[in-house]
């Protein structure tokens, strides 16, 4: 990714994006690497009504593409998202250019991987829970931010 493209993408994420950590409740069959009730996953999303731009993101950077049906007077919208390792790598590349979502990116870049092996250690799990709570507070709608 070139600098100009990284700067453009950072502006797009600042304006139309979401940087966060998903908290997913596991079903009866626990994930093979975790016996925890919840697992946490880094996520980056862009949702907008411009289908071509969202499709370009998907084609250029992978991840997933979905169409969101219109409700009421709203128009149909499109969403591109990255999860897991892709998210961290992508955010690392655009981080120097972020303005609005910079604090969320800083939190996400501290998200610990589990390179020590499986299952997750208590330290890694607790760190993920803490980072989830921090980023959730920043992303809360209607909150006052410094």
């Amino acid at each position: 990714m070139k600098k100009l493209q990284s700067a453009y993408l950072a502006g797009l994420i600042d304006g139309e994006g979401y940087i966060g950590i998903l908290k997913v409740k596991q079903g009866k069959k626990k994930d093979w690497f975790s016996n925890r009730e919840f697992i946490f996953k880094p996520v980056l999303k862009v949702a907008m009504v411009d289908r071509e731009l969202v499709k370009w993101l998907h084609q250029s950077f992978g991840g997933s593409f979905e169409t969101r049906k219109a409700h009421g007077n709203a128009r149909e919208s499109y969403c591109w998202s990255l999860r897991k390792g892709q998210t961290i790598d992508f955010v690392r590349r655009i981080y120097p250019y972020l303005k609005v979502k910079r604090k969320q990116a800083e939190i996400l870049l501290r998200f610990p991987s589990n390179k020590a092996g499986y299952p997750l250690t208590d330290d890694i799990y607790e760190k993920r829970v803490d980072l989830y709570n921090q980023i959730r507070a920043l992303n809360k709608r209607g909150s006052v931010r410094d």
Side-chain angles (χ1 to χ4, degrees):
M1 205 181 311
K2 296 181 180 179
K3 287 182 180 182
L4 183 59
Q5 187 180 46
S6 294
Y8 172 77
L9 292 166
L12 188 61
I13 300 301
D14 271 341
E16 303 293 334
Y18 170 82
I19 297 173
I21 298 172
L22 295 177
K23 178 180 178 181
V24 181
K25 184 174 177 82
Q26 296 197 77
K28 290 180 183 177
K29 183 180 176 187
K30 302 279 190 227
D31 217 323
W32 68 273
F33 64 86
S34 175
N35 59 358
R36 315 289 179 158
E37 183 179 2
F38 297 99
I39 55 175
F40 298 89
K41 301 176 183 182
V43 65
L44 179 133
K45 295 182 179 191
V46 172
M48 56 191 336
V49 297
D50 187 331
R51 184 181 194 282
E52 293 307 312
L53 182 54
V54 177
K55 200 69 173 155
W56 172 78
L57 289 166
H58 179 245
Q59 291 168 348
S60 300
F61 304 104
S64 63
F65 175 89
E66 69 179 277
T67 301
R68 295 179 174 180
K69 300 293 179 195
H71 298 287
N73 291 334
R75 293 169 48 190
E76 187 171 73
S77 64
Y78 308 92
C79 181
W80 167 73
S81 61
L82 289 177
R83 296 195 178 159
K84 299 183 183 176
Q86 290 176 299
T87 304
I88 304 292
D89 293 340
F90 189 91
V91 170
R92 189 174 286 121
R93 291 179 181 166
I94 65 169
Y95 174 78
Y97 309 100
L98 288 169
K99 303 291 184 216
V100 178
K101 306 276 187 336
R102 192 171 186 89
K103 288 180 181 179
Q104 287 90 332
E106 288 170 358
I107 292 169
L108 195 71
L109 292 174
R110 295 194 320 258
F111 190 84
S113 67
N114 193 30
K115 294 181 181 176
Y118 298 103
L120 287 178
T121 65
D122 289 341
D123 289 344
I124 289 176
Y125 188 78
E126 289 170 17
K127 181 70 171 177
R128 288 179 176 186
V129 170
D130 180 51
L131 294 173
Y132 165 79
N133 288 326
Q134 289 178 41
I135 209 163
R136 186 171 183 234
L138 284 173
N139 287 335
K140 185 176 182 180
R141 288 186 182 192
S143 65
V144 178
R145 299 183 189 129
D146 302 23

